Structure formats: structure tokens, C-alpha cells
Amino acid sequence: MATLTGTTQGGLTWEPKFVKEIDQEKCIGCGRCFKVCGRNILELQALNEDGEFIDEDDGEIVRKVMTIANGHLCIGCQACSRICPKNCYTHEAQNN
């Protein structure tokens, strides 16, 4: 299988790595990743005391965590991972 690669402006080979997972146990919901991503990939979700996702109007919110809402829009820049203070992100290269 071929690996998806690109070339930087300086002529270096670059391999994009796409967002695969966010560790909900580590995530503190700070929103830094959301702010750095301009592709509408991430969404902040509320959790109840059982750790289940809920609508903000449907119960007591214990905390909020980031989720992958539109992973298919990811371009593999890994900016979300680099800005994350808790190292929550897992990225993966895409094989063609």
C-alpha cells in the first residue's frame, strides 16, 4: 500500500497524520484544540455523572470534553495535538 505524502514549500516530504481518537479521561475541555482547528472537526460535549454524553439542557453537567464531530474533514496537520496540554490526541497516517 502507498502512503499519502506531500511536499512542503521548502521541498521536504511531509506525511499528514489524521485525528483518530481523543482520550476522554485525559481531556479537560479547555478548548485550545477547538480554537486552533479551522476545519470544524471538533465539538465540545457535556458529560453527566455517569460519563455519558448529554445535551446541555437534559441534566446536570459534570464536565465537558472535546469530541471528533467531523473527522472526515481533517487534513492531518496535527495542530490540535500540538496545542493540547494533556496529550489527549491519537493521530494516524492514512494508507491508500
Side-chain angles (χ1 to χ4, degrees):
M1 276 191 178
T3 302
L4 178 64
T5 60
T7 305
T8 66
Q9 186 173 357
L12 301 173
T13 300
W14 174 72
E15 181 180 4
K17 293 188 179 171
F18 303 93
V19 65
K20 195 70 173 171
E21 186 177 13
I22 301 172
D23 186 335
Q24 303 300 323
E25 297 298 319
K26 290 182 178 179
C27 182
I28 59 173
C30 67
R32 292 177 185 171
C33 54
F34 182 83
K35 290 176 184 175
V36 77
C37 179
R39 309 269 318 152
N40 195 31
I41 294 166
L42 306 171
E43 183 176 276
L44 198 59
Q45 291 276 312
L47 293 174
N48 65 14
E49 62 188 26
D50 297 324
E52 299 168 337
F53 292 111
I54 60 171
D55 287 332
E56 292 190 29
D57 299 332
D58 291 344
E60 188 173 327
I61 298 171
V62 174
R63 67 187 186 107
K64 291 186 178 184
V65 295
M66 202 56 67
T67 59
I68 302 168
N70 298 300
H72 63 282
L73 298 175
C74 182
I75 60 170
C77 70
Q78 301 176 59
C80 53
S81 182
R82 286 193 304 275
I83 197 109
C84 180
K86 295 296 182 178
N87 199 22
C88 298
Y89 283 83
T90 302
H91 288 80
E92 193 173 273
Q94 180 177 350
N95 294 322
N96 292 337

Coordinates of all heavy atoms in Angstrom, one line a residue:
M1 N 0.8 -1.2 0.0 CA 0.0 0.0 0.0 C 0.9 1.2 0.0 O 1.9 1.3 0.7 CB -0.9 0.0 1.2 CG -2.1 -0.7 1.1 SD -3.2 -0.3 2.6 CE -4.5 -1.3 2.1
A2 N 0.4 2.2 -0.7 CA 1.1 3.5 -0.8 C 0.7 4.4 0.4 O -0.4 4.3 0.9 CB 0.8 4.2 -2.1
T3 N 1.6 5.2 0.9 CA 1.3 6.1 2.0 C 1.1 7.5 1.4 O 1.9 7.9 0.5 CB 2.5 6.2 3.0 OG1 2.7 4.9 3.5 CG2 2.2 7.1 4.1
L4 N 0.1 8.2 1.9 CA -0.2 9.6 1.5 C 0.9 10.5 2.0 O 1.2 10.5 3.2 CB -1.5 10.0 2.0 CG -2.0 11.4 1.7 CD1 -2.2 11.6 0.2 CD2 -3.3 11.7 2.4
T5 N 1.6 11.2 1.1 CA 2.6 12.2 1.4 C 2.5 13.5 0.6 O 1.8 13.5 -0.4 CB 4.1 11.6 1.2 OG1 4.2 11.3 -0.2 CG2 4.3 10.4 2.1
G6 N 3.1 14.5 1.1 CA 3.1 15.8 0.4 C 4.5 16.4 0.4 O 5.4 15.8 1.0
T7 N 4.6 17.6 -0.1 CA 5.9 18.3 -0.1 C 5.6 19.6 0.5 O 4.7 20.3 0.1 CB 6.4 18.4 -1.6 OG1 6.5 17.1 -2.1 CG2 7.8 19.0 -1.6
T8 N 6.5 20.0 1.4 CA 6.4 21.4 2.0 C 7.0 22.4 1.0 O 7.6 22.0 -0.1 CB 7.3 21.5 3.3 OG1 8.7 21.3 2.9 CG2 6.9 20.4 4.3
Q9 N 6.8 23.6 1.3 CA 7.2 24.7 0.4 C 8.8 24.6 0.3 O 9.3 25.0 -0.8 CB 6.8 26.1 1.0 CG 7.2 27.2 0.1 CD 6.6 28.5 0.6 OE1 5.9 28.6 1.6 NE2 6.9 29.6 -0.1
G10 N 9.4 24.1 1.3 CA 10.9 24.0 1.2 C 11.4 22.7 0.5 O 12.6 22.5 0.5
G11 N 10.5 21.9 0.0 CA 10.8 20.7 -0.7 C 11.0 19.5 0.2 O 11.4 18.4 -0.3
L12 N 10.6 19.6 1.4 CA 10.7 18.4 2.3 C 9.5 17.5 2.2 O 8.4 18.0 1.9 CB 10.9 18.8 3.8 CG 12.1 19.7 4.1 CD1 12.0 20.2 5.5 CD2 13.4 18.9 3.9
T13 N 9.6 16.2 2.4 CA 8.5 15.3 2.3 C 7.7 15.4 3.6 O 8.3 15.5 4.7 CB 8.9 13.9 2.1 OG1 9.6 13.8 0.9 CG2 7.8 12.9 2.0
W14 N 6.4 15.5 3.6 CA 5.6 15.6 4.7 C 4.5 14.6 4.7 O 3.9 14.3 3.6 CB 4.9 17.0 4.8 CG 3.9 17.2 5.9 CD1 4.2 17.3 7.2 CD2 2.5 17.3 5.7 NE1 3.0 17.5 7.9 CE2 2.0 17.5 7.0 CE3 1.7 17.3 4.7 CZ2 0.6 17.6 7.3 CZ3 0.3 17.5 4.9 CH2 -0.2 17.6 6.2
E15 N 4.3 13.9 5.8 CA 3.2 12.8 5.9 C 2.1 13.3 6.8 O 2.4 13.4 8.0 CB 3.8 11.5 6.3 CG 2.8 10.4 6.4 CD 3.4 9.1 6.9 OE1 4.6 9.1 7.3 OE2 2.6 8.1 7.0
P16 N 0.9 13.6 6.3 CA -0.1 14.0 7.2 C -0.6 12.9 8.1 O -0.6 11.7 7.7 CB -1.3 14.4 6.3 CG -1.0 13.8 5.0 CD 0.5 13.6 4.9
K17 N -0.9 13.2 9.3 CA -1.5 12.2 10.3 C -2.8 12.7 10.8 O -2.9 13.8 11.3 CB -0.5 11.9 11.4 CG 0.8 11.3 10.9 CD 1.7 10.8 12.0 CE 2.9 10.1 11.4 NZ 3.9 9.8 12.3
F18 N -3.8 11.9 10.5 CA -5.2 12.4 10.8 C -5.7 12.0 12.2 O -5.3 11.0 12.7 CB -6.1 11.7 9.7 CG -5.7 12.1 8.3 CD1 -4.8 11.3 7.6 CD2 -6.1 13.3 7.7 CE1 -4.4 11.6 6.3 CE2 -5.6 13.6 6.4 CZ -4.8 12.8 5.7
V19 N -6.5 12.9 12.7 CA -7.1 12.6 14.1 C -7.9 11.3 14.1 O -8.7 11.1 13.2 CB -7.9 13.8 14.6 CG1 -9.2 14.1 13.8 CG2 -8.2 13.7 16.0
K20 N -7.5 10.5 15.0 CA -8.2 9.2 15.2 C -9.0 9.1 16.4 O -10.1 8.5 16.4 CB -7.1 8.1 15.2 CG -7.6 6.7 14.9 CD -8.0 6.6 13.5 CE -8.3 5.2 13.1 NZ -8.9 5.1 11.8
E21 N -8.5 9.6 17.5 CA -9.2 9.5 18.8 C -8.7 10.6 19.8 O -7.7 11.1 19.7 CB -8.8 8.1 19.4 CG -9.5 7.7 20.6 CD -9.1 6.3 21.1 OE1 -8.1 5.7 20.6 OE2 -9.7 5.8 22.0
I22 N -9.7 10.9 20.7 CA -9.4 11.8 21.8 C -9.6 11.0 23.1 O -10.7 10.5 23.3 CB -10.3 13.0 21.8 CG1 -10.1 13.8 20.5 CG2 -9.9 13.9 23.0 CD1 -11.1 14.9 20.3
D23 N -8.7 11.0 24.0 CA -8.8 10.3 25.3 C -9.7 11.1 26.2 O -9.3 12.1 26.7 CB -7.4 10.1 25.9 CG -7.4 9.2 27.1 OD1 -8.5 9.2 27.8 OD2 -6.4 8.6 27.4
Q24 N -10.9 10.7 26.4 CA -11.9 11.4 27.2 C -11.5 11.5 28.7 O -11.9 12.4 29.4 CB -13.3 10.7 27.0 CG -13.8 10.6 25.6 CD -13.9 12.0 24.9 OE1 -14.3 13.0 25.5 NE2 -13.6 12.0 23.7
E25 N -10.7 10.5 29.1 CA -10.3 10.5 30.5 C -9.3 11.6 30.8 O -9.3 12.2 31.9 CB -9.7 9.2 30.9 CG -10.7 8.0 30.8 CD -11.9 8.2 31.8 OE1 -11.6 8.6 32.9 OE2 -13.0 7.9 31.3
K26 N -8.5 11.9 29.8 CA -7.4 13.0 30.0 C -8.0 14.4 29.6 O -7.5 15.4 30.2 CB -6.3 12.7 29.0 CG -5.4 11.5 29.4 CD -4.3 11.4 28.4 CE -3.3 10.3 28.7 NZ -2.3 10.3 27.6
C27 N -8.9 14.5 28.7 CA -9.4 15.8 28.2 C -10.0 16.6 29.4 O -10.8 16.1 30.1 CB -10.4 15.6 27.1 SG -11.1 17.1 26.4
I28 N -9.6 17.9 29.4 CA -10.1 18.8 30.4 C -11.1 19.8 29.8 O -11.6 20.7 30.5 CB -9.0 19.5 31.2 CG1 -8.1 20.3 30.2 CG2 -8.2 18.5 32.0 CD1 -7.1 21.2 30.9
G29 N -11.4 19.7 28.5 CA -12.3 20.6 27.9 C -11.9 22.0 27.8 O -12.8 22.9 27.8
C30 N -10.6 22.3 27.7 CA -10.1 23.6 27.7 C -10.4 24.4 26.4 O -10.5 25.6 26.4 CB -8.6 23.6 28.0 SG -7.6 22.9 26.7
G31 N -10.6 23.7 25.3 CA -11.0 24.3 24.1 C -9.8 24.8 23.2 O -10.1 25.4 22.2
R32 N -8.6 24.6 23.7 CA -7.5 25.1 22.9 C -7.4 24.4 21.5 O -7.2 25.1 20.5 CB -6.2 24.8 23.6 CG -6.0 25.6 24.9 CD -4.7 25.2 25.6 NE -4.7 26.0 26.8 CZ -3.8 25.7 27.8 NH1 -2.9 24.8 27.6 NH2 -3.8 26.4 28.9
C33 N -7.7 23.2 21.4 CA -7.7 22.4 20.2 C -8.8 22.9 19.2 O -8.6 23.1 18.0 CB -7.8 20.9 20.4 SG -9.2 20.4 21.4
F34 N -9.9 23.2 19.8 CA -11.1 23.8 19.1 C -10.7 25.1 18.4 O -11.0 25.3 17.2 CB -12.3 23.9 20.0 CG -13.5 24.4 19.3 CD1 -14.3 23.5 18.6 CD2 -13.8 25.8 19.3 CE1 -15.5 24.0 17.9 CE2 -15.0 26.2 18.6 CZ -15.8 25.3 18.0
K35 N -10.0 25.9 19.2 CA -9.6 27.2 18.7 C -8.6 27.2 17.6 O -8.6 28.0 16.6 CB -9.1 28.1 19.8 CG -10.2 28.5 20.8 CD -9.6 29.3 21.9 CE -10.7 29.6 23.0 NZ -10.1 30.3 24.2
V36 N -7.7 26.2 17.6 CA -6.6 26.1 16.6 C -7.0 25.4 15.3 O -6.4 25.6 14.3 CB -5.4 25.5 17.2 CG1 -5.5 24.0 17.3 CG2 -4.1 25.8 16.5
C37 N -8.1 24.6 15.4 CA -8.6 23.9 14.2 C -9.6 24.8 13.5 O -10.6 25.1 14.0 CB -9.2 22.6 14.6 SG -9.9 21.7 13.2
G38 N -9.3 25.1 12.2 CA -10.2 25.9 11.4 C -11.0 25.0 10.5 O -11.6 25.6 9.5
R39 N -11.1 23.7 10.7 CA -11.8 22.8 9.8 C -13.1 22.3 10.3 O -13.7 21.4 9.7 CB -10.9 21.7 9.4 CG -9.5 22.1 9.0 CD -9.3 22.3 7.5 NE -9.9 21.3 6.7 CZ -10.3 21.5 5.5 NH1 -10.1 22.7 4.9 NH2 -10.9 20.5 4.8
N40 N -13.6 22.7 11.4 CA -14.9 22.3 12.0 C -14.9 20.8 12.3 O -15.9 20.1 12.0 CB -16.1 22.7 11.1 CG -17.4 22.6 11.8 OD1 -17.5 22.8 13.0 ND2 -18.4 22.3 11.0
I41 N -13.8 20.3 12.8 CA -13.7 18.9 13.1 C -14.2 18.5 14.5 O -14.7 17.5 14.8 CB -12.2 18.4 12.9 CG1 -11.9 18.6 11.4 CG2 -12.0 17.0 13.4 CD1 -10.4 18.5 11.1
L42 N -13.9 19.4 15.5 CA -14.1 19.2 16.9 C -15.4 19.8 17.4 O -15.9 20.8 16.9 CB -12.9 19.7 17.7 CG -11.6 19.1 17.2 CD1 -10.4 19.9 17.9 CD2 -11.5 17.6 17.4
E43 N -15.9 19.2 18.5 CA -17.1 19.7 19.2 C -17.0 19.4 20.7 O -16.6 18.3 21.1 CB -18.3 19.0 18.6 CG -19.6 19.5 19.2 CD -20.8 18.8 18.5 OE1 -21.2 19.3 17.4 OE2 -21.3 17.8 19.0
L44 N -17.3 20.4 21.5 CA -17.3 20.2 22.9 C -18.6 19.6 23.4 O -19.7 20.1 23.0 CB -17.1 21.6 23.6 CG -16.7 21.6 25.0 CD1 -15.3 20.9 25.2 CD2 -16.6 23.1 25.5
Q45 N -18.5 18.5 24.1 CA -19.7 17.8 24.5 C -19.8 17.7 26.1 O -18.8 17.6 26.7 CB -19.7 16.3 24.0 CG -19.8 16.2 22.5 CD -21.3 16.2 22.1 OE1 -22.1 15.5 22.7 NE2 -21.6 17.0 21.1
A46 N -21.0 17.8 26.6 CA -21.2 17.7 28.0 C -21.3 16.2 28.5 O -21.9 15.4 27.7 CB -22.5 18.4 28.4
L47 N -20.8 15.9 29.7 CA -20.9 14.6 30.3 C -21.7 14.7 31.6 O -21.5 15.7 32.3 CB -19.5 14.0 30.6 CG -18.6 13.7 29.4 CD1 -17.2 13.3 29.9 CD2 -19.2 12.6 28.5
N48 N -22.5 13.7 31.9 CA -23.2 13.6 33.2 C -22.3 12.9 34.2 O -21.2 12.5 33.8 CB -24.6 13.0 33.0 CG -24.5 11.5 32.6 OD1 -23.5 10.9 32.6 ND2 -25.7 11.0 32.2
E49 N -22.8 12.6 35.3 CA -22.0 11.9 36.4 C -21.7 10.5 36.1 O -20.7 9.9 36.6 CB -22.7 12.0 37.7 CG -24.1 11.3 37.7 CD -24.8 11.6 39.0 OE1 -24.6 12.6 39.7 OE2 -25.7 10.7 39.4
D50 N -22.4 9.9 35.1 CA -22.1 8.5 34.7 C -21.1 8.5 33.5 O -20.8 7.4 33.0 CB -23.4 7.8 34.3 CG -24.4 7.6 35.5 OD1 -23.9 7.4 36.6 OD2 -25.6 7.7 35.2
G51 N -20.6 9.6 33.1 CA -19.7 9.7 32.0 C -20.4 9.5 30.6 O -19.7 9.3 29.6
E52 N -21.7 9.8 30.6 CA -22.4 9.6 29.3 C -22.6 11.0 28.7 O -22.8 12.0 29.4 CB -23.8 9.0 29.6 CG -23.7 7.6 30.1 CD -25.0 7.1 30.7 OE1 -25.9 8.0 31.0 OE2 -25.2 5.9 30.7
F53 N -22.6 11.1 27.4 CA -22.8 12.4 26.7 C -24.3 12.8 26.8 O -25.1 11.9 26.7 CB -22.4 12.3 25.2 CG -21.0 12.1 25.0 CD1 -20.4 10.9 24.5 CD2 -20.1 13.1 25.2 CE1 -19.1 10.7 24.3 CE2 -18.7 13.0 25.0 CZ -18.2 11.8 24.6
I54 N -24.5 14.0 27.1 CA -25.9 14.5 27.3 C -26.0 15.9 26.6 O -25.0 16.6 26.3 CB -26.3 14.7 28.8 CG1 -25.3 15.7 29.5 CG2 -26.3 13.3 29.5 CD1 -25.8 16.0 30.9
D55 N -27.2 16.3 26.3 CA -27.5 17.6 25.8 C -27.4 18.5 27.0 O -27.7 18.1 28.2 CB -28.9 17.7 25.2 CG -29.0 17.1 23.9 OD1 -27.9 17.0 23.2 OD2 -30.1 16.6 23.5
E56 N -26.9 19.7 26.8 CA -26.7 20.6 28.0 C -28.0 20.9 28.7 O -28.0 21.3 29.9 CB -26.1 21.9 27.5 CG -24.7 21.7 27.0 CD -23.9 22.9 26.8 OE1 -24.2 24.0 27.4 OE2 -23.0 22.9 25.9
D57 N -29.2 20.8 28.1 CA -30.5 21.0 28.8 C -31.1 19.8 29.4 O -32.1 19.9 30.1 CB -31.5 21.6 27.7 CG -31.0 22.9 27.1 OD1 -30.3 23.6 27.7 OD2 -31.4 23.1 25.9
D58 N -30.4 18.6 29.3 CA -31.0 17.4 29.7 C -30.5 16.8 31.0 O -30.7 15.7 31.3 CB -30.8 16.3 28.6 CG -31.6 16.6 27.4 OD1 -32.6 17.4 27.5 OD2 -31.3 15.9 26.4
G59 N -29.8 17.6 31.8 CA -29.4 17.1 33.1 C -28.2 17.9 33.6 O -27.8 18.9 33.0
E60 N -27.7 17.4 34.8 CA -26.6 18.1 35.4 C -25.3 17.7 34.7 O -24.9 16.6 34.6 CB -26.5 17.7 36.9 CG -25.5 18.5 37.6 CD -25.5 18.2 39.1 OE1 -26.6 17.9 39.6 OE2 -24.4 18.2 39.7
I61 N -24.6 18.7 34.3 CA -23.3 18.6 33.6 C -22.2 18.5 34.6 O -22.0 19.3 35.5 CB -23.0 19.7 32.6 CG1 -24.1 19.8 31.6 CG2 -21.6 19.6 32.0 CD1 -24.0 21.1 30.7
V62 N -21.4 17.4 34.5 CA -20.3 17.2 35.4 C -19.0 17.9 34.8 O -18.3 18.6 35.5 CB -20.0 15.7 35.7 CG1 -18.7 15.5 36.5 CG2 -21.2 15.1 36.4
R63 N -18.8 17.7 33.6 CA -17.7 18.3 32.9 C -18.0 18.2 31.4 O -18.9 17.6 30.9 CB -16.4 17.6 33.2 CG -16.2 16.2 32.7 CD -14.9 15.6 33.3 NE -14.7 14.3 32.7 CZ -13.8 14.0 31.8 NH1 -13.0 14.9 31.4 NH2 -13.6 12.8 31.4
K64 N -17.1 18.9 30.6 CA -17.2 18.9 29.1 C -15.9 18.4 28.6 O -14.8 18.6 29.2 CB -17.5 20.3 28.6 CG -18.9 20.8 28.9 CD -19.1 22.1 28.2 CE -20.6 22.6 28.4 NZ -20.8 23.8 27.7
V65 N -16.0 17.7 27.5 CA -14.8 17.1 26.8 C -14.9 17.3 25.3 O -16.0 17.5 24.8 CB -14.6 15.6 27.1 CG1 -14.3 15.3 28.6 CG2 -15.8 14.8 26.6
M66 N -13.8 17.3 24.6 CA -13.8 17.5 23.2 C -14.0 16.2 22.5 O -13.6 15.1 23.0 CB -12.4 18.1 22.8 CG -12.5 18.8 21.4 SD -13.7 20.1 21.3 CE -13.0 21.3 22.4
T67 N -14.8 16.2 21.4 CA -15.1 15.0 20.6 C -14.8 15.3 19.2 O -14.7 16.5 18.8 CB -16.6 14.6 20.8 OG1 -17.4 15.7 20.3 CG2 -16.9 14.2 22.2
I68 N -14.7 14.3 18.4 CA -14.5 14.4 17.0 C -15.8 14.3 16.3 O -16.5 13.3 16.3 CB -13.6 13.2 16.4 CG1 -12.2 13.2 17.1 CG2 -13.4 13.4 14.9 CD1 -11.4 12.0 16.9
A69 N -16.3 15.5 15.8 CA -17.6 15.6 15.2 C -17.5 15.3 13.7 O -18.5 14.7 13.1 CB -18.2 16.9 15.5
N70 N -16.5 15.8 13.0 CA -16.4 15.7 11.6 C -15.0 15.3 11.2 O -14.2 16.0 10.5 CB -16.7 17.0 10.9 CG -18.1 17.5 11.2 OD1 -19.1 16.8 10.9 ND2 -18.3 18.6 11.9
G71 N -14.6 14.1 11.6 CA -13.2 13.6 11.3 C -12.9 13.5 9.9 O -11.7 13.6 9.5
H72 N -13.9 13.4 9.0 CA -13.6 13.3 7.6 C -13.1 14.6 7.0 O -12.6 14.6 5.9 CB -14.9 12.8 6.9 CG -16.0 13.8 7.0 ND1 -16.8 13.9 8.1 CD2 -16.5 14.7 6.1 CE1 -17.7 14.9 8.0 NE2 -17.5 15.4 6.7
L73 N -13.2 15.7 7.7 CA -12.7 17.0 7.3 C -11.2 17.2 7.7 O -10.6 18.2 7.2 CB -13.5 18.1 7.8 CG -15.0 18.1 7.4 CD1 -15.8 19.2 8.1 CD2 -15.1 18.2 5.9
C74 N -10.6 16.3 8.5 CA -9.3 16.5 8.9 C -8.3 16.5 7.8 O -8.3 15.7 6.9 CB -8.9 15.4 9.9 SG -7.3 15.5 10.7
I75 N -7.3 17.4 7.8 CA -6.2 17.5 6.8 C -4.9 16.9 7.3 O -3.9 16.9 6.5 CB -6.1 18.9 6.2 CG1 -5.7 19.9 7.3 CG2 -7.3 19.4 5.5 CD1 -5.2 21.3 6.8
G76 N -4.9 16.5 8.5 CA -3.7 15.9 9.0 C -2.6 16.8 9.5 O -1.4 16.4 9.6
C77 N -2.9 18.0 9.9 CA -1.9 19.0 10.3 C -1.4 18.7 11.7 O -0.3 19.2 12.1 CB -2.4 20.4 10.1 SG -3.7 20.9 11.3
Q78 N -2.2 18.1 12.5 CA -1.9 17.8 13.9 C -1.8 19.0 14.9 O -1.2 18.9 15.9 CB -0.6 16.9 14.1 CG -0.7 15.6 13.3 CD 0.6 14.9 13.4 OE1 1.1 14.5 14.4 NE2 1.2 14.6 12.2
A79 N -2.3 20.1 14.4 CA -2.3 21.3 15.3 C -3.0 21.1 16.6 O -2.6 21.5 17.7 CB -2.9 22.5 14.5
C80 N -4.1 20.3 16.6 CA -4.9 20.0 17.8 C -4.0 19.3 18.8 O -4.0 19.6 20.0 CB -6.1 19.2 17.5 SG -5.8 17.7 16.5
S81 N -3.2 18.4 18.3 CA -2.4 17.6 19.2 C -1.2 18.4 19.8 O -0.9 18.2 21.0 CB -1.8 16.4 18.4 OG -1.0 15.6 19.3
R82 N -0.7 19.2 19.0 CA 0.5 20.1 19.4 C 0.1 21.1 20.5 O 0.9 21.4 21.4 CB 1.1 20.8 18.3 CG 1.9 19.8 17.4 CD 2.8 20.5 16.4 NE 2.2 21.5 15.5 CZ 1.6 21.1 14.4 NH1 1.6 19.9 14.0 NH2 1.0 22.0 13.7
I83 N -1.2 21.5 20.5 CA -1.6 22.6 21.4 C -2.2 22.0 22.7 O -2.4 22.6 23.7 CB -2.6 23.5 20.8 CG1 -2.8 24.8 21.6 CG2 -4.0 22.9 20.6 CD1 -2.2 26.0 21.0
C84 N -2.6 20.7 22.7 CA -3.3 20.0 23.8 C -2.3 19.9 25.0 O -1.3 19.3 24.9 CB -3.7 18.6 23.4 SG -4.6 17.7 24.7
P85 N -2.7 20.5 26.1 CA -1.9 20.4 27.3 C -1.9 19.1 28.0 O -1.0 18.8 28.9 CB -2.5 21.5 28.2 CG -3.9 21.5 27.9 CD -3.9 21.3 26.4
K86 N -2.8 18.2 27.7 CA -2.9 16.9 28.3 C -2.6 15.7 27.4 O -2.7 14.6 27.8 CB -4.4 16.7 28.9 CG -4.7 17.7 30.0 CD -3.9 17.5 31.2 CE -4.2 18.4 32.3 NZ -3.4 18.2 33.5
N87 N -2.1 16.0 26.2 CA -1.7 15.0 25.3 C -2.8 13.9 25.1 O -2.6 12.7 25.2 CB -0.4 14.3 25.8 CG 0.3 13.6 24.7 OD1 0.2 13.8 23.6 ND2 1.2 12.6 25.1
C88 N -4.0 14.4 24.7 CA -5.2 13.5 24.6 C -5.3 12.9 23.2 O -6.1 12.0 23.0 CB -6.4 14.4 24.8 SG -6.5 15.1 26.5
Y89 N -4.6 13.4 22.2 CA -4.9 13.0 20.8 C -4.1 11.8 20.3 O -2.9 11.7 20.7 CB -4.6 14.2 19.9 CG -5.7 15.2 20.0 CD1 -5.8 16.2 21.0 CD2 -6.8 15.2 19.0 CE1 -6.8 17.1 21.0 CE2 -7.8 16.1 19.1 CZ -7.8 17.0 20.1 OH -8.9 17.9 20.1
T90 N -4.7 11.0 19.5 CA -4.1 10.0 18.7 C -4.3 10.3 17.3 O -5.4 10.5 16.8 CB -4.7 8.6 19.1 OG1 -4.5 8.4 20.5 CG2 -4.0 7.5 18.3
H91 N -3.2 10.3 16.5 CA -3.3 10.5 15.0 C -2.7 9.3 14.3 O -1.9 8.6 14.9 CB -2.5 11.8 14.7 CG -3.1 13.0 15.1 ND1 -3.0 13.5 16.4 CD2 -3.8 13.9 14.4 CE1 -3.7 14.6 16.4 NE2 -4.2 14.9 15.3
E92 N -3.1 9.2 13.1 CA -2.7 8.0 12.3 C -2.5 8.4 10.8 O -3.4 9.2 10.3 CB -3.8 6.9 12.4 CG -3.4 5.6 11.9 CD -4.4 4.6 12.3 OE1 -4.4 4.0 13.4 OE2 -5.3 4.3 11.4
A93 N -1.5 7.9 10.2 CA -1.3 8.1 8.8 C -2.3 7.3 8.0 O -2.8 6.3 8.5 CB 0.1 7.7 8.4
Q94 N -2.7 7.9 6.9 CA -3.7 7.2 6.0 C -3.0 6.4 4.9 O -2.2 7.1 4.2 CB -4.7 8.2 5.5 CG -5.7 7.5 4.6 CD -6.7 8.5 4.1 OE1 -6.8 9.7 4.5 NE2 -7.5 8.1 3.2
N95 N -3.2 5.2 4.8 CA -2.6 4.4 3.7 C -3.7 4.3 2.6 O -4.8 4.1 2.8 CB -2.3 3.0 4.2 CG -1.2 3.0 5.2 OD1 -0.2 3.8 5.1 ND2 -1.2 2.1 6.2
N96 N -3.2 4.5 1.4 CA -4.1 4.4 0.2 C -4.3 3.0 -0.2 O -3.5 2.1 -0.1 CB -3.5 5.2 -1.0 CG -3.6 6.7 -0.6 OD1 -4.3 7.2 0.2 ND2 -2.7 7.5 -1.3

